Amino acid sequence: MFAIVRTGGKQYRVAAGDKIAVEKIDGEAGDTVSLGDVLLAGDGGEVKDAKGLTVSAEIIAQTRGEKVIVFKKRRRHNYRRRNGHRQSLTLLRILAVGEAKKAAPKKEAAPKEEAKAAPAADAPKTEAAPKKAAAPKAEAADKAPAEKKPAAKKAAPKKEA
């Protein structure tokens, strides 16, 4: 069974077991994502109703595409601009094309949050130590004032010709 899926503004023809590179999708390697925007589905030469179908996929890796050089030039105007771009991509392995199934739950965030909050609650609160008062600047008072340099000479008046 195959399906036409839209993600990242592009359309892909996918079947179970395919590997595709799509625009960046949030998640880490090993996470399961569900592509719900199925435009068309089919089995062999038959076209099936795509309503309610989802495509489940596993993230293989987060990567970047090839570098593309953007070069702009206007003749005879000394105008040249060179710019490069690398698109962020996500590599997906298609697991299944079929009925709307809930994807495997992602890593649970609740236990981590509780684990982080528990040590903070158990630890006694420590108060900040009082700051020391600044020491008086005795060194500046001991030194005699520096001798002044003579003022710069004024410029000679201009002669009229």
Side-chain angles (χ1 to χ4, degrees), residues 74-91:
R74 294 195 181 148
R75 295 179 3 169
R76 298 182 298 274
H77 289 281
N78 194 24
Y79 176 86
R80 286 184 292 277
R81 301 290 183 266
R82 183 177 180 269
N83 197 1
H85 175 75
R86 288 186 71 186
Q87 185 66 40
S88 296
L89 300 173
T90 301
L91 297 178

Side-chain angles (χ1 to χ4, degrees), residues 114-125:
E114 291 173 5
K116 290 180 183 177
D122 296 340
K125 293 184 179 180

Side-chain angles (χ1 to χ4, degrees), residues 18-34:
D18 288 352
K19 293 180 184 177
I20 58 172
V22 299
E23 299 283 325
K24 184 165 174 66
I25 297 175
D26 290 336
E28 297 178 9
D31 289 349
T32 303
V33 295
S34 177

